[in-house]
Structure formats: C-alpha cells, structure tokens
Amino acid sequence: MKISYEWLSEYVDLEGVTPEQIAEELTRGGIEVDIVEQRDAGVENVVVGYVMEAKQHPNADKLRVCQVDAGREEPLQIVCGAPNVARGQKVPVALHGAKLPGGVKIKNTKLRGEKSQGMICSAKELGLPEKLLPTEQTEGILVLPEEAEVGSDVRPLLGLTDTVLELDLTPNRSDCLSMWGTAYEVAALLDREIWLPEAPAAHPSGKTKTVAIELDAEEDCPFYAAQVVDNLKLAPSPQWLQNRLVAAGIRPINNVVDVTNYVMLEYGQPLHAFDYDKVTDGEIVVRRAQPGEQVKTLDGVTRACDGETLLITDGTQPIGIAGVMGGENSEVTESTTTVLLESAFFAPPSIRSTARKLGLRSEASNRFEKGVDPERIVPALQRAVQLLQELAGGEPASEVTVEKMGDVEDVTVQLRHDRLNNVLGVQVKPETVRDVFRRLRFEMEERDGVYRVRVPSRRPDISIEVDLIEEVARIYGYDKIPTTLPWGQQSPGALTREQKLRRVVRHTLRDAGFNEVLNYSLTSPDRLKELPPLDKGIRPVRLNMPMSDERKVLRTTLLPQLVESAEYNVHRRQEQLAFFELGRTYITEEKKLTELPQERWELAALVTGPLAAAHWQGNNQPVDFFTVKGQLEMLLTRLGVQGIAYRAAELEGFHPGRTAEVLLNGRVIGCIGQIHLQVSEAHDLEETYAFQVQLAPLFEAAVTDPKYAPIPRYPSTTRDLALVVHQDVPAAELESAIRQAGGKLLVDATLFDVFTGKQVGEGKKSVAYTLTYRAEDRTLTDEEVNEVHGRIVEHVEAAFRAVLRQ
Amino acid sequence: MRDRLEALREEAASSIQAAESLEQLKELRIKYLGKKGELTSILRGMKDVAPEERPVIGGLANEIRSAMEKQLDEKESDLQEAALKARLKEETIDVTLPGKQAPLGTIHPIQAVIEQIEDIFIGMGFEVAEGPEVESDYYNFEALNLPKEHPARDMQDSFYITPEILLRTHTSPVQVRTMEAKEGQVPVKIICPGKVYRRDDDDATHSHQFTQVEGLVVDRGISMSELNGILLSFAEQFFGMELETRLRPSYFPFTEPSVEMDISCVMCGGKGCRVCKQTGWIEILGAGMVHPRVLEHGGYNAERYTGFAFGMGPERMAMLKYGIDDIRHFYTNDLRFLRQFKTL
Ligand SMILES: [Zn+2]
C-alpha cells in the first residue's frame, strides 16, 4: 500500500510530523515502511506556461519555436521538438536554472540558430511514472489542465510536493490497505486527532431505475449493496484526483472508474461500476458458476470457471467475476451514461481461490481476500455516489439498495491486566492500558483488573486476549520490555546420541581431508537413474507442481549429486576432490503418497584423482579402491562398529569388478566401489571411487564407550604364512578361516602381501599373513605355537586347496 | 737407540697430525703402537743397550708411547667431530621448502554455524529436536494456526506433493510434534535445525532450499522479557561481542504477540554502515509468544502455560558472521568457497 502524506493529512492531524517520522513510528509499531519517496524527484524551477504561439523552426523540420507566457515580464522563446505542442496549451516550462530528475540542469541556449529560454517538459522529464499515465499525457510534452495558473510552480499542481510512504503490510493488517485504516493507525501511534468525513446517502430526485439483488451463494457473498447513478459525463478526472491515484500506483482512466478506485483507496472497500444499460432489467444475481461456464473479462480474455467461481450475473448472463474482474459485456465505456455501482462483501476464501486459479491478482481481489470491513460497504457506496455527483455530473437514479444475510456485530474481547504483565514480563500501569485503547479508539469497560474491549469491525485481526496484549505492547513500545533469563525449572541441554554420532562422522571425515557439501533434496529423476539407490521397488517422491525439470523429485540416493559436485569443481580446475554429504533420502514404495515417506539419514563420500596435494617430493598417487575403503574403515573404527563385511557385487553405475556391498552383520547397508567409467567419463572425472552407507544401522552398532582390556602380560610370537590359492578365493574368507582354525591363541592375522605371476602359476595368487600368537596366562612355547600354526595350515590346505609357499 | 726413538716420536707426531681419516688413524695406531709396531720393534734392541741406560731408555719409550696414544686419541676425536660436522653439513635441507600437509577437509559453513547455534542453546539448557522434511499440511500449517485459505499461506509458497503432504516451509512443525511427544511435560526447551523449502527462484538472497533453526520454550510463566533475554544472550555468544537487541512488532500466525528481533550491527557496532543500511541495526530473527491455539494443538493448556518461539536462518547468520554476500554459494559446493572455512 502506498500512502500519500498529503492525502493522509486530510484525515489525521500531522502538523509538525514529517513523513520520515511517520515512517519510523509505523515501522516501530509493526507496519513496516519500505520506502519514503519524495514525489518531486528533484524538480525545481518548473512553472506553468501558456503557449502563445508555436511556429515552425526556420532551420529544422522537427522543431517548433514557441512564444510562452511563463508569468515573466516578457514572453519566453522556447524551441520545442514535441509534435504535440500547440498554441493555447498550458505546459510545464523548465526555466533557465531549472533542475529536473537525474541531475539535469536547464540553461538558456540556442538551437539551430534560434534562442531557447528553457524547456517545455514531458511527463517523463518531470519524473512522473509514465506507466501509470494515459498515453495522451506521455506522448510528447505534458499538457496541463486549462485552469492551471500561469507562472505558478507545477509541483503542487502535479502532486509533486507530496511524499509517498510504501507500506509492507503483513497479512493480518489488511486494515491498513486504506487511507482510513492507515489514518487510525497513525493517529493511534502519534496520539493525534482524526477526522473521517462520511458521505450521506443521496436520493434520486427524478425517475428511478430498478435494482434487484439476489444472493444465491450466501456464504460467498452475504452482503451486497448497489446504487444506480445516471446522467454521467465521462471525462478525465481532475488533476488532484489523478495525482492521488498515481501516488498510490493506480492508473487514472476516467472519472467514473477513477472514483471507484479512489474510494477503494480511501475506505478499503473495492467498488465496481457496471454499465447499467448492459445489465438486463437492473437485476443482479450473485451465484456460483456452472463448471465450464465462460466469462470474457474486461481485459478481453475468456475465462473458464469452475463450480467454485463466484459470478455476478444479471440473471441472464455473467457480467463479472465477483471481486476479481468485471466482464467485458458490462464494462464502462465512453458511451456510458448510467452505472450500477456495486459495493459488497465477498468471502476471502472464495476470492482467494478464484484469483489464484485464474492468475488474476488485482487491488480489489487483494482486499477481498483479506476481508473488507462490512461496516464500510454502504458508506463507501455513498461516498462514491457523492464523488460521481461532484466530478462526473452524475445523479442518483435509485436508492441505496442492500441485500444482506444477518448483521455483523462488534467483537468484545477481555484482557486481564495480570495476564498482560505476565506475558510481557513487565509492569504496565492501568492508565497506560487505558491510554492505549483510547488512542486506538477501541471502546472499553474496566472492572476488577479486566478490560472488556469492543473491537471495531475494521480490525478483524483482533479476536482473543493475546491480540489485545500485542496491541498494548506495540503502542506502549517493545523497547520497554526488559531482558531477563528464564527462572523456571532448569533442564539439561544435550544432543541425542544420533546427533552426536553424526557430528563424529562429519569431523572424522573432515580430518581425513573430505569436504562436506550440501546438495539440494530436489533433483531430476534422470539424475537418480545414473546411480540408482540399492533398494528395489522404491519410487522417488514427486512434486505436484515442480518449478523446473531439474527439481522434480526428492532424492533417493546422495551419490549422483556428489558426482555433480566433483564435476563442477573439475571444470573449475580444482584438485584433491574428496567430498562427503550427510543427508536424508526419501524412501517410499507408494506411487501416490498417502503417508509420509521414510526419511533415511545417509552418508555418501566420493574421491577422484589424487587425494594429496601435488608436492615437490612427488607421491601424489591417484586414489584407488583400497584408499577409499581404508577411509571408510577408519571411520568405522572411529565409530566402534564391528561386524562389517564387504561382498563383491555388480551394481548399476559402478565398475562391475571393483564394487562391493557393505554388510553389517549380514545385512546390506551400503556400497563402495569405483564409479562406472561410462558415468565418470560422462562427467569429465578420472577414476572415481565412492561409498554410501545408511547411518541408522551403523549408529545402532556403534560402540563409542571403550571397555578397557588389560595390557598383555606375556609376550607374543609371530609366524608368517604364505599361501598359494586360486585367484578367486576372497581374502576375507581366507582370513576368517585362518582365524577360526587359530582359535583363542591366534590373536591377530595381518595380510602383508598379495601377488600373482608366473612364480605362483596361472590363475593363482600368493597371499601372505603375519600371524600373532599369544596366551593370556603364560608365555607360549615353540611347540604350542607350532601345533596351532600347523592346524591352521592343514585347515586352509583342505578348505581352499591352498599350497604352502616356501 | 735414543736417536731412533726420538726420530720415531717426530715421525709419528707428524703422520698422526697429517692423518685425514679414522681408517688412516687406525692404521697409524697399528703401525706405531701395535704388537708388531715400530715402537715395539725398536724396543727389541733394548738388549743391546747398556744396563745402566736401560731405565732411561725405558722411561723415554713409555713417554713416547703415552704421547703417541694421546695424540692418536686427540686426533681421533678431532676427526670424529669433523666427520659428524661433515655429515650434518651434508644433511642440511632448505627448511623453507613446503611441508607435506596432511589433507584437511572442511565442514560445510552452514553445518558449522548450525553446530555453533546448537552448542550455545545446549549451554542454555535446550535439547535439539528434529522432524520430517516431508511434512503433513496439518503440522506445517493447520496446527500452527494457518488453516487452509489463510492469507498468510501466501507468505510461504510451498512445494506440494499431494494436497495433504508437502515439503515443510519452515521448521516450526517441530513445535507441535515436540509438544505432542512431551505429553504435557514442562519445561519444553528445544531448538530444531533443519532444511526447509519454498517456491522461490534462486538468486543472491533467495534459495528454494535453505535451513532454519526453530526454537521453542514452554513452561509456566514464560514471558516476552525472557524471550528477549535468551535471544540477546544467544546473539552475544554467537557473534562474540556485546550487543543490544531491539524488538519490532511483526506477524506470524503461530505467535502472538509476534516480533522481529534486531541486534546492533555487528559490522559497525551501531554507527551505521552498508550492511545495516545506515540504521545501526540488523534483523536476525522472527519470534513471539506461542499462539494459544498452537499450545492447544500441542496438548498444553494455554491458560496455565505460556511459551515463546523463534526462528532464524543459519544462512543469514553465516553471511553476517563471515561476510558472505550471496546465498547461492552455500549450495554450489565450489571448493574455492568451501575451503575458506577450514577453521570452522
Ligand atoms: Zn552497520
């Protein structure tokens, strides 16, 4: 809402208060003022001139030499390039030394040999908002009204001495979508007088025209008032009215339409003028549309309605979409002489949904959506009729006709003084409270520390006690609320175990050189297909109305976006690309959600290229499977997770020979491997390795409180064991067989060498372990160790057809 | 004989002096003092010396032996010292060459800021609660006093999945979820960090996905002055400086009264600068007293209990604290950005 300071001062005593002070008070009171704008935009020394003569320039086809009476002793000679300049016009003249917006200064000069003592200005040159002006005012120079006084400053005439305050209103304060509402608010904040003149009802003097109102959708429209005005002479509105509309950001059209807009700004009640002659029998039927019914609105577009669209009809056909836009068939045109003025209450939900569906948001619908004040419906209508009489020669041709369902009653809300103080945490004096309600102009009775407040219908945002507490607080001043700390029962603060462990994961990976990324939860289905999640049968959750194809579904896996993060950085020549993300995936099997999807915390990490920075000593090897696996293992160690196994697997998007499922106690919780070359190459990545694991099972298995075990008291003995086995024997199986055969005395088995080659034979590999033997209660003898070691050898020989390598 | 001994003394002294290596020195030791060495071989001629002279010659020989031993030892120690010196010299490196830094990654700045916020509130007795990002219309709106067709729903244009399920537009649904879970117990003191989503085009100040930290306190006798106090204490800890707060009335459907909180500008200390648009104040969060209807939805008697709630944006807090100028940086994952936050 844009508020003209000059207009506002008609209703509130603003003496000695600057627009900036009002802005400050409003903002501190909860009505944020975004902009305080001087309308003159720096115009100085521009006066009204009378064009006495406009002759062709002797040396230039497109220029005219004008003699202009600008109230000076001598007429001024001004060369003008505008085609519309003509003798007898009143025009804005920038005199020698004048200033125009944008720092332009005007001086006497010569143009093609003719002296020019100033400039005749266009609307644009004066900084007027061209978009809001009718074309006849924006093409060429601005022609001023005939009554403009020659030699006088143009600024008051064009409303340029005014200041406009632009309010950024929260949805609860729709009462300030009007001059009156803002006047109440400013008067309360400043504690000033207020004058809100009302227009009396105008009665027809001669023959009357019929108006018959029928409300067929009571819930959507419980209150409708109308009056017919005839004998209208359509013309441009007077300058002062145009100025006010322009200041409010509304385009002047003609005196009839302008009056409806003016009263909307003044009272907050949108009005609509139908051409009475197009309304069959003066009948108004408000009803819901038939599904599929069409209405051509006055912007020329044919709108298809559904069963919820509220229509204004004349009983035979729709003549407008209620509260949103009038119909073309009943539009006020140049030939209109009689109008039916509508002032009504349309239910906010109905207007909101229709405006939304049709994509039509207007000044009117904006007010109806938030609820207009039923008490202003008739006064606004009367005011409009009064203005049509004054400005358009109109005469009332019917009485004010009202159809309404029930009466609106003022709301009474109680406020307990104790409660006020308890909620604010401050001691407000009763006289302060009384004063606040006086300033707000709320009637109030006080008894035993309870205020019974009659809330006027213009403030529908106030319905319960806390609403009044807020009113008191904002008028009393939030700056008077102290800072204290809660004294009540103290509670210990803490993270949950899961939250702590998530931090452990983050910090461990960070310390290992990984960079945490944050990717969007919304992605494209195609991206997910490239590296699909392990789960079968799940469907990505789909948005109903996505903003773009890129953000259509919720991710079911984190890896595809990590690949993208890597690609983004490769394209920016970044190195040491190691990323991780901790985030949720959204899992459902439902095609159409009936319940919330499962949100699963997952960890994904990805490394590509060398992990270490290039160093003058060399050794920045590209990452390989075992480096990344080692990083995962390190993390698992840090979390105290045991029971993890890796099982070779062929997974979509991964290298078929370099990928494993990660199992926790036999259950798949994730995967690790090389990203398939087709994928990594498509994203300009070198060999890339990644893993993704679910956090919930990991955290369930995590043991982060260590249990002390005594330091061994007896020495251990080690023996190396080198075996030749078939190449396909997984090392993990071999190791578990060794450990099993070794029993309690074998305390460790460390694989230290693997190789293939001619020495070991085709299709074979040599695997070497260091086995550590120890007993808790004695030093083992050679014989004892030999016995266990022998048992191990026998076992693996039998189980894997392993051959001991000498 | 005496002459031969004297000659030997001279010769040995000069050869020992001239020795250049420990090996050479070892050879000299054998040559002069060994069992078959020159001194021994001279002394073999003792039988030819007159008996009265023998003690004298013997004395001289001993004197020469110990002198030679002393010279050898001294020389040995000199040579050892020289060798060590030489080795150390040879091992000298350019200590200004770059070290081999162990790779150090980064925590995402938004995450780091969330952790800072969590830690401050944990210190003030808050728990950290979480809730679903895909939320029901009920928890996201209705339970928060935003029934369908409420005009304030426009303030948060949302991503719907079905008419009843959407991506949460704020972390406020956790308020009612937490109250329900607490089953009427007090105090309720939680903060809830998390991702939220709105239908905004991504630009320097908007992102369709961002994070919020919601806070909720419910107890008997909770007042606005405590809201003011807790949030001032938080802001001072977060920015690490003494600040002032200013409450301005605002509007949120789920709080009443509702306020926006400004703090004295952390950039200029309140004098006025570009960041605070010369006002000396910067807005950091929205807050208010929990609306009675929200308390009732959470199962708390609004007559007996009061509470306050607040919500802040970690993106904004990070931008203010670290001087970041564009919200898109947080979601681009450019290492040139992320690596600026290694110390967090
Ligand atoms: Zn500042």
Side-chain angles (χ1 to χ4, degrees):
Chain A
M1 179 74 186
K2 290 182 168 177
I3 300 292
S4 148
Y5 173 89
E6 173 262 330
W7 191 358
L8 186 67
S9 65
E10 267 185 22
Y11 307 132
V12 195
D13 172 13
L14 294 181
E15 205 184 323
V17 190
T18 64
E20 287 74 18
Q21 284 168 327
I22 295 174
E24 173 69 15
E25 288 292 332
L26 280 170
T27 299
R28 297 300 301 267
I31 309 282
E32 206 170 325
V33 178
D34 270 355
I35 302 168
V36 178
E37 192 187 26
Q38 298 285 333
R39 283 212 60 208
D40 71 13
V43 171
E44 268 178 39
N45 223 3
V46 181
V47 300
V48 177
Y50 175 73
V51 182
M52 300 156 64
E53 191 182 86
K55 282 204 291 201
Q56 186 62 44
H57 191 291
N59 307 319
D61 286 352
K62 290 187 175 166
L63 295 181
R64 237 73 74 76
V65 181
C66 307
Q67 302 302 320
V68 180
D69 175 3
R72 299 296 181 267
E73 283 172 19
E74 297 283 315
L76 303 174
Q77 172 169 310
I78 298 177
V79 177
C80 180
N84 67 328
V85 68
R87 191 179 148 183
Q89 286 171 336
K90 298 268 177 77
V91 292
V93 176
L95 301 171
H96 174 72
K99 286 183 186 161
L100 296 180
V104 178
K105 283 182 189 161
I106 303 300
K107 282 182 194 149
N108 289 346
T109 180
K110 264 191 179 180
L111 282 168
R112 296 280 185 104
E114 292 292 328
K115 70 172 177 182
S116 185
Q117 300 164 291
M119 183 171 97
I120 302 177
C121 303
S122 67
K124 190 181 182 182
E125 283 156 346
L126 292 173
L128 294 171
E130 276 193 293
K131 279 184 204 154
L132 296 177
L133 299 180
T135 45
E136 67 265 20
Q137 291 187 31
T138 56
E139 282 172 357
I141 52 148
L142 178 65
V143 181
L144 299 172
E146 278 172 34
E147 62 274 19
E149 191 188 328
V150 168
S152 67
D153 189 342
V154 295
R155 288 179 300 178
L157 180 69
L158 296 173
L160 297 183
T161 44
D162 200 2
T163 303
V164 174
L165 284 77
E166 192 167 345
L167 312 184
D168 180 12
L169 292 173
T170 53
N172 59 323
R173 291 308 303 274
S174 55
D175 59 300
C176 288
L177 284 171
S178 66
M179 296 305 297
W180 277 30
T182 307
Y184 274 113
E185 180 69 15
V186 170
L189 292 167
L190 299 174
D191 196 6
R192 289 288 177 103
E193 277 302 305
I194 189 168
W195 318 282
L196 299 175
E198 290 199 26
H203 305 286
S205 50
K207 231 178 104 192
T208 60
K209 311 239 175 189
T210 337
V211 182
I213 302 167
E214 185 183 326
L215 304 183
D216 285 354
E218 297 173 19
E219 240 174 67
D220 296 342
C221 175
F223 192 162
Y224 196 104
Q227 188 167 14
V228 180
V229 180
D230 67 4
N231 208 22
L232 291 164
K233 287 159 212 67
L234 257 72
S237 297
Q239 191 65 40
W240 65 266
L241 196 153
Q242 291 196 31
N243 291 346
R244 287 186 176 181
L245 292 182
V246 169
I250 289 179
R251 190 186 171 102
I253 294 170
N254 58 48
N255 46 10
V256 173
V257 175
D258 291 355
V259 161
T260 62
N261 283 328
Y262 184 82
V263 175
M264 174 181 72
L265 293 172
E266 197 176 31
Y267 284 62
Q269 171 65 42
L271 303 172
H272 186 72
F274 297 98
D275 186 332
Y276 181 81
D277 297 329
K278 314 279 172 58
V279 181
T280 314
D281 300 333
E283 197 177 341
I284 295 289
V285 179
V286 187
R287 63 162 170 88
R288 288 194 176 190
Q290 307 292 332
E293 197 169 352
Q294 292 190 332
V295 183
K296 196 169 186 187
T297 45
L298 46 77
D299 54 0
V301 181
T302 302
R303 314 270 174 182
C305 307
D306 61 21
E308 289 179 352
T309 315
L310 190 64
L311 296 181
I312 310 297
T313 74
D314 63 0
T316 61
Q317 56 165 345
I319 54 172
I321 298 175
V324 176
M325 199 180 267
E328 199 185 47
N329 54 8
S330 59
E331 189 184 359
V332 171
T333 63
E334 281 171 32
S335 61
T336 302
T337 57
T338 310
V339 297
L340 182 145
L341 272 182
E342 162 199 284
S343 183
F345 183 94
F346 299 120
S350 165
I351 302 304
R352 181 171 190 266
S353 104
T354 301
R356 229 162 200 249
K357 280 181 210 156
L358 298 179
L360 275 174
R361 285 278 168 94
S362 61
E363 293 278 347
S365 71
N366 183 30
R367 286 170 175 79
F368 284 123
E369 273 180 32
K370 280 154 189 157
V372 296
D373 180 355
E375 285 186 4
R376 286 193 199 152
I377 288 175
V378 172
L381 182 63
Q382 292 174 180
R383 170 67 167 152
V385 172
Q386 180 188 48
L387 287 172
L388 287 180
Q389 288 174 280
E390 283 173 20
L391 307 175
E395 287 170 16
S398 79
E399 293 290 347
V400 173
T401 309
V402 174
E403 188 67 31
K404 67 173 166 176
M405 307 292 162
D407 272 314
V408 194
E409 281 170 23
D410 277 357
V411 181
T412 301
V413 181
Q414 290 199 8
L415 170 64
R416 291 161 295 173
H417 194 83
D418 286 353
R419 185 73 174 181
L420 172 75
N421 284 346
N422 290 343
V423 169
L424 297 182
V426 66
Q427 296 302 313
V428 184
K429 290 191 184 117
E431 49 267 39
T432 307
V433 179
R434 279 175 223 135
D435 197 47
V436 166
F437 291 131
R438 179 188 59 76
R439 286 160 66 173
L440 286 167
R441 291 161 172 83
F442 291 179
E443 285 175 35
M444 183 266 288
E445 286 166 27
E446 185 184 349
R447 220 162 98 191
D448 303 332
V450 179
Y451 311 94
R452 289 173 53 83
V453 181
R454 270 186 65 195
V455 181
S457 60
R458 64 186 153 85
R459 290 295 306 275
D461 58 311
I462 298 172
S463 59
I464 54 175
E465 188 175 34
V466 279
D467 299 331
L468 290 176
I469 293 176
E470 181 170 66
E471 287 303 298
V472 174
R474 64 184 195 90
I475 305 290
Y476 170 67
Y478 280 97
D479 47 0
K480 300 196 183 75
I481 293 176
T483 54
T484 56
L485 288 173
W487 49 268
Q489 198 181 334
Q490 284 307 306
S491 53
L495 292 174
T496 64
R497 180 171 179 273
E498 253 195 65
Q499 289 162 351
K500 280 183 203 154
L501 289 175
R502 259 183 257 141
R503 284 201 188 182
V504 168
V505 169
R506 278 198 177 93
H507 291 254
T508 304
L509 287 173
R510 187 270 299 271
D511 293 347
F514 286 84
N515 297 284
E516 185 180 20
V517 299
L518 250 180
N519 276 308
Y520 294 132
S521 306
L522 288 169
T523 184
S524 79
D526 289 347
R527 187 143 310 127
L528 295 174
K529 274 180 204 144
E530 209 171 39
L531 269 162
L534 299 184
D535 317 65
K536 299 291 169 234
I538 61 165
R539 298 163 186 275
V541 173
R542 237 163 231 284
L543 291 186
N544 183 24
M545 279 166 51
M547 288 175 78
S548 73
D549 284 348
E550 283 297 288
R551 318 219 188 288
K552 231 176 178 166
V553 298
L554 286 169
R555 57 185 176 175
T556 49
T557 169
L558 309 182
L559 281 177
Q561 290 164 309
L562 276 192
V563 170
E564 280 195 310
S565 299
E567 182 184 9
Y568 179 92
N569 282 287
V570 162
H571 289 163
R572 281 151 190 83
R573 304 189 168 279
Q574 297 302 294
E575 286 170 349
Q576 293 171 270
L577 305 182
F579 298 103
F580 76 98
E581 180 169 13
L582 238 74
R584 300 182 192 187
T585 57
Y586 311 84
I587 308 294
T588 183
E589 292 182 4
E590 292 188 309
K591 192 166 180 202
K592 188 169 180 348
L593 280 192
T594 59
E595 53 191 54
L596 301 184
Q598 183 198 344
E599 296 185 19
R600 199 156 76 181
W601 278 98
E602 308 220 30
L603 163 67
L606 178 144
V607 189
T608 185
L611 188 55
H615 193 256
W616 54 275
Q617 288 180 308
N619 77 13
N620 50 328
Q621 294 294 311
V623 70
D624 64 8
F625 179 86
F626 298 103
T627 309
V628 176
K629 185 178 177 189
Q631 287 164 327
L632 174 59
E633 286 169 337
M634 183 269 286
L635 177 66
L636 295 169
T637 305
R638 175 67 182 82
L639 291 171
V641 172
Q642 297 198 329
I644 290 283
Y646 301 85
R647 184 169 68 199
E650 291 189 21
L651 303 175
E652 216 177 320
F654 280 94
H655 189 307
R658 292 182 172 183
T659 298
E661 289 169 332
V662 180
L663 295 91
L664 174 64
N665 299 323
R667 193 187 131 204
V668 176
I669 60 158
C671 62
I672 180 166
Q674 184 182 341
I675 301 295
H676 199 291
L677 292 170
Q678 284 172 345
V679 176
S680 51
E681 282 168 10
H683 293 276
D684 297 335
L685 300 179
E686 297 174 47
E687 269 189 32
T688 300
Y689 294 87
F691 63 80
Q692 175 162 325
V693 286
Q694 294 173 31
L695 290 184
L698 270 194
F699 289 173
E700 209 174 298
V703 181
T704 49
D705 287 332
K707 197 116 200 134
Y708 161 78
I711 310 291
R713 291 175 61 191
Y714 298 92
S716 57
T717 311
T718 61
R719 294 283 159 89
D720 285 353
L721 173 66
L723 299 166
V724 175
V725 292
H726 192 273
Q727 207 162 11
D728 291 343
V729 174
E733 281 179 30
L734 202 54
E735 186 182 319
S736 96
I738 290 170
R739 284 182 184 271
Q740 211 185 340
K744 264 183 85 177
L745 295 183
L746 175 70
V747 293
D748 202 9
T750 307
L751 190 153
F752 71 89
D753 190 34
V754 180
F755 76 92
T756 54
K758 280 190 190 126
Q759 309 98 299
V760 293
E762 192 82 0
K764 306 259 178 190
K765 66 180 168 190
S766 163
V767 190
Y769 293 89
T770 297
L771 305 184
T772 307
Y773 298 98
R774 189 174 61 225
E776 275 175 30
D777 55 350
R778 64 191 187 280
T779 304
L780 290 175
T781 62
D782 268 3
E783 290 72 35
E784 284 176 296
V785 173
N786 288 344
E787 198 210 313
V788 189
H789 197 73
R791 212 162 57 213
I792 293 172
V793 173
E794 274 172 39
H795 180 67
V796 294
E797 280 174 344
F800 300 99
R801 286 196 281 158
V803 176
L804 208 56
R805 193 163 173 269
Q806 299 307 328
Chain B
M1 182 134 189
R2 180 189 291 266
D3 293 346
R4 281 178 64 197
L5 282 171
E6 286 297 344
L8 182 65
R9 185 208 301 254
E10 298 249 313
E11 185 206 316
S14 72
S15 358
I16 288 168
Q17 208 49 52
E20 284 179 341
S21 72
L22 287 165
E23 272 102 80
Q24 241 181 326
L25 205 65
K26 204 171 173 188
E27 279 163 26
L28 289 176
R29 195 179 285 267
I30 294 162
K31 181 178 172 195
Y32 295 118
L33 297 175
K35 279 182 187 158
K36 293 172 185 169
E38 288 184 21
L39 186 62
T40 315
S41 93
I42 293 173
L43 290 179
R44 263 192 219 116
M46 191 69 102
K47 56 185 186 303
D48 305 325
V49 176
E52 66 277 11
E53 273 205 52
R54 280 181 195 168
V56 181
I57 297 293
L60 179 64
N62 280 339
E63 187 197 317
I64 289 171
R65 175 184 298 274
S66 61
M68 275 167 39
E69 271 171 355
K70 191 171 170 236
Q71 285 162 359
L72 280 166
D73 286 352
E74 277 174 10
K75 186 67 185 177
E76 187 177 336
S77 133
D78 284 356
L79 282 174
Q80 272 172 347
E81 201 176 309
L84 185 63
K85 263 192 188 151
R87 180 174 161 193
L88 292 177
K89 184 164 171 43
E90 195 179 317
E91 286 176 355
T92 296
I93 55 173
D94 177 358
V95 296
T96 66
L97 281 168
K100 203 180 288 180
Q101 212 188 103
L104 177 66
T106 49
I107 301 281
H108 193 283
I110 288 300
Q111 190 55 43
V113 162
I114 288 176
E115 287 182 12
Q116 293 168 21
I117 295 172
E118 285 174 348
D119 290 344
I120 294 169
F121 281 104
I122 287 170
M124 296 194 285
F126 284 68
E127 291 171 54
V128 180
E130 290 169 302
E133 293 168 24
V134 184
E135 188 52 284
S136 67
D137 187 86
Y138 174 77
Y139 284 111
N140 193 75
F141 287 129
E142 289 195 31
L144 294 169
N145 195 28
L146 271 149
K148 290 210 159 79
E149 301 303 335
H150 191 291
R153 283 199 182 199
D154 287 357
M155 289 162 82
Q156 306 180 357
D157 215 351
S158 343
F159 289 112
Y160 273 92
I161 293 155
T162 72
E164 293 304 323
I165 298 175
L166 73 160
L167 301 188
R168 66 178 176 192
T169 56
H170 45 194
T171 43
S172 314
V174 183
Q175 285 188 21
V176 173
R177 285 185 175 274
T178 302
M179 284 190 274
E180 282 178 357
K182 290 261 182 185
E183 296 184 320
Q185 299 292 305
V186 286
V188 178
K189 277 175 89 175
I190 54 146
I191 58 161
C192 167
K195 294 173 183 167
V196 299
Y197 307 85
R198 290 187 196 172
R199 288 184 84 84
D200 275 327
D201 286 316
D202 298 339
D203 63 26
T205 52
H206 294 87
S207 178
H208 77 277
Q209 173 180 327
F210 57 102
T211 60
Q212 266 191 349
V213 176
E214 184 83 7
L216 173 71
V217 174
V218 178
D219 205 343
R220 285 172 195 271
I222 293 292
S223 73
M224 271 199 108
S225 64
E226 284 150 353
L227 163 75
N228 208 1
I230 284 226
L231 293 177
L232 170 64
S233 171
F234 159 74
E236 291 193 325
Q237 291 180 65
F238 182 81
F239 290 105
M241 59 177 84
E242 270 190 34
L243 296 168
E244 280 174 52
T245 58
R246 178 174 86 165
L247 298 179
R248 279 183 296 110
S250 185
Y251 173 71
F252 308 105
F254 33 95
T255 49
E256 183 84 1
S258 299
V259 290
E260 261 161 298
M261 178 179 270
D262 297 340
I263 53 170
S264 44
C265 179
V266 294
M267 300 291 168
C268 63
K271 286 187 208 79
C273 69
R274 202 174 49 83
V275 172
C276 60
K277 294 179 190 143
Q278 309 305 331
T279 62
W281 294 99
I282 41 181
E283 181 187 325
I284 57 161
L285 52 81
M289 301 303 291
V290 182
H291 196 287
R293 274 196 277 275
V294 177
L295 283 172
E296 301 283 353
H297 281 302
Y300 286 77
N301 182 328
E303 198 46 46
R304 197 176 309 157
Y305 300 106
T306 49
F308 63 76
F310 56 87
M312 68 182 95
E315 280 85 352
R316 174 156 178 79
M317 302 299 275
M319 288 166 98
L320 284 173
K321 191 166 178 178
Y322 306 119
I324 300 162
D325 58 357
D326 190 324
I327 197 170
R328 284 169 293 199
H329 286 313
F330 294 121
Y331 296 96
T332 314
N333 299 319
D334 191 320
L335 282 170
R336 294 166 299 178
F337 174 75
L338 297 175
R339 284 185 172 140
Q340 296 181 31
F341 301 96
K342 287 198 183 219
T343 53
L344 295 186

